[in-house]
Amino acid sequence: MNESKSLFDKFAASAAVQKQLEASGLDPTHVVIEEILSATEGKIQGKTTILAGTNNYLGLTFNEQCIEAGRESLRTQGTGTTGSRMANGSFDGHVALERELAEFYGTKHCMIFSTGYTANLGILSALLEPGDAVLLDADAHASLYDGCRMSGADVYRFKHNDVEALEKRLRRLGARAHRCLIITEGMYSILGDCAPLAEMVELKEKYGAYLFVDEAHSLGVFGQTGRGVAEELGLDEKIDFIVGTFSKSLGATGGYCVSNHDELNLVRYASRPYIFTASPSPSVIATTRAALKQLKSHPELREQLWANANQLYTGLKALNLHLGPDISPVVAVRMQDNESALAGWKNLIEQGVYTNMIVPPASPDGSSFLRCSVSAAHTKEQIDKIIKAFSQISG
Ligand code: PMP
């Protein structure tokens, strides 16, 4: 029985964290960007600051075509859908975007959701049920954990990106391996490392399992046409379910799942996070469709993104900072502990550089990080300034 006296006793730990963060002067969890100046700059505490942690990989949030598409949609379709597609009907943009994403991936089906978070909740909670087994990468995003939990399936974690650990789990499942779902991400969001998808596909085929890949951070970043890590490795036809988001490279909000399994269309009838929430606003759909067009027709954005990623990674490496294993648009600096992460984060802000402070329980392996994500829209000078700012802090 829970012995606590009040409903609110459980907030004691959060209150202590809040107090510590507030005492530092500027709380990294409550930053207000008073003015958004561009895809890469904003005003924070009255000062022009380089935004170095936005996930705005292609820098499309201020793209003229996207803004115009959103404006036109607001004028002709109004501000919102005011309901779920199942009860209130779809707008033609929802259907068109599903068709365009399916075409882009070369899959038979696509389902869109109001956010990337609900895409994971919506697909996993419908696809799995109590008695099913899931093998989940230990560093998977919270939405993947939450979707599994919502389904009631048995969840077995395997060590991050460790193919041997995954196979051990598959062997232990015995006959259940046959219908189990393996869940991984393409590029991981904190260290920018990628899943060993080729080995995972081999295992999935060997044991007759299914493979689900969250490419939230890989869309627009990897692959010859920007479809993600699966495309980069020539494997997208082998993946059962690819999930992604509109909130990073596409600069909007929303999520999707593509698949060749016909059952994806039946998920619509079984998915509470699809049925019981309002569908994406028409202007959001319009900007997303325009951004997808930009992503497809401007591969040079991806090239610029990688040039910027190289510049930042090699610049920070030269400072002997402790970085993730691979060069990628996500560059995270490992700090000694929470206190040095907070002090470093504040120091960077004072120098006009905004990064993401990532500490446990949100971080992999219990470490603390100052995470940067570069954008194709960052200039060489801005990246030089980010590197210079990091040279002033100690790790
Ligand atoms: N999956 C992963 C791997 C993510 O990193 C995120 C967002 N950080 C999501 C899903 C959720 O996406 P959204 O922000 O669109 O809800």
Side-chain angles (χ1 to χ4, degrees):
M1 202 177 62
N2 191 337
E3 297 288 338
S4 55
K5 288 201 181 63
S6 146
L7 182 65
F8 305 119
D9 284 0
K10 60 177 82 69
F11 289 105
S14 304
V17 171
Q18 188 187 42
K19 210 165 156 194
Q20 187 201 4
L21 292 175
E22 278 174 0
S24 75
L26 181 61
D27 176 351
T29 64
H30 280 85
V31 173
V32 177
I33 303 167
E34 295 131 19
E35 240 180 282
I36 315 296
L37 301 169
S38 70
T40 57
E41 275 188 341
K43 272 219 165 119
I44 297 177
Q45 296 198 315
K47 184 166 158 186
T48 298
T49 300
I50 299 171
L51 303 175
T54 58
N55 305 320
N56 192 355
Y57 296 117
L58 301 182
L60 290 177
T61 49
F62 278 81
N63 176 276
E64 263 312 313
Q65 278 86 349
C66 296
I67 290 173
E68 198 39 55
R71 204 180 269 146
E72 178 64 8
S73 166
L74 276 169
R75 220 175 44 75
T76 57
Q77 297 185 283
T79 55
T81 62
T82 65
S84 143
R85 289 173 67 184
M86 294 298 267
N88 299 41
S90 297
F91 283 30
D92 69 348
H94 296 132
V95 181
L97 179 53
E98 286 181 337
R99 194 178 53 242
E100 287 156 8
L101 281 165
E103 269 168 25
F104 180 50
Y105 280 91
T107 55
K108 280 159 73 180
H109 308 290
C110 174
M111 241 182 112
I112 60 167
F113 292 83
S114 303
T115 67
Y117 181 87
T118 46
N120 280 335
L121 242 53
I123 295 293
L124 294 172
S125 64
L127 203 57
L128 301 163
E129 64 180 6
D132 287 335
V134 190
L135 299 182
L136 179 63
D137 186 287
D139 286 359
H141 187 257
S143 56
L144 296 166
Y145 274 91
D146 293 352
C148 291
R149 189 182 301 169
M150 191 173 174
S151 74
D154 298 324
V155 183
Y156 305 99
R157 297 186 332 158
F158 60 92
K159 192 168 163 224
H160 175 56
N161 277 351
D162 187 330
V163 186
E164 271 176 38
L166 172 60
E167 178 151 32
K168 215 187 263 175
R169 292 269 187 225
L170 280 162
R171 251 189 268 120
R172 250 192 245 158
L173 280 178
R176 290 173 84 201
H178 218 60
R179 49 178 290 203
C180 96
L181 185 68
I182 302 167
I183 302 179
T184 181
E185 294 179 23
M187 179 175 81
Y188 278 81
S189 60
I190 310 291
L191 292 175
D193 54 332
C194 289
L197 282 188
E199 291 85 345
M200 286 179 159
V201 164
E202 260 176 47
L203 285 180
K204 153 204 134 98
E205 288 179 344
K206 180 171 167 191
Y207 288 87
Y210 298 86
L211 186 56
F212 176 112
V213 183
D214 181 339
E215 297 260 36
H217 287 269
S218 340
L219 172 70
V221 174
F222 285 94
Q224 224 194 334
T225 66
R227 293 200 298 262
V229 177
E231 184 190 25
E232 178 92 17
L233 301 174
L235 294 168
D236 31 5
E237 281 174 22
K238 309 259 183 183
I239 314 293
D240 295 279
F241 301 95
I242 291 180
V243 165
T245 175
F246 306 153
S247 73
K248 304 184 195 307
S249 281
L250 298 177
T253 48
Y256 62 93
C257 177
V258 291
S259 177
N260 279 321
H261 291 289
D262 291 335
E263 288 77 7
L264 186 68
N265 274 330
L266 299 175
V267 163
R268 293 183 205 272
Y269 297 93
S271 173
R272 296 169 69 88
Y274 178 78
I275 299 167
F276 294 105
T277 195
S279 59
S281 300
S283 58
V284 166
I285 295 294
T287 69
T288 304
R289 291 178 67 194
L292 183 61
K293 259 196 207 150
Q294 295 291 314
L295 183 157
K296 289 196 277 193
S297 56
H298 291 285
E300 72 278 8
L301 288 175
R302 206 156 47 255
E303 277 164 33
Q304 187 59 53
L305 172 69
W306 278 96
N308 291 353
N310 267 294
Q311 189 193 343
L312 184 63
Y313 189 96
T314 48
L316 294 182
K317 195 83 192 163
L319 297 174
N320 282 326
L321 294 171
H322 195 343
L323 306 182
D326 306 316
I327 298 181
S328 92
V330 173
V331 186
V333 177
R334 195 182 290 264
M335 304 297 283
Q336 214 145 51
D337 48 35
N338 284 0
E339 287 69 35
S340 53
L342 182 56
W345 180 85
K346 245 193 97 184
N347 186 322
L348 291 174
I349 275 282
E350 281 156 12
Q351 296 185 66
V353 174
Y354 175 75
T355 58
N356 313 124
M357 188 182 91
I358 313 279
V359 295
S363 59
D365 71 33
S367 303
S368 308
F369 298 94
L370 296 178
R371 171 192 182 270
C372 306
S373 56
V374 291
S375 168
H378 280 125
T379 62
K380 197 169 176 314
E381 291 69 36
Q382 285 176 324
I383 298 205
D384 279 337
K385 274 191 197 159
I386 299 170
I387 297 166
K388 185 153 179 267
F390 267 98
S391 74
Q392 306 298 309
I393 68 166
S394 49

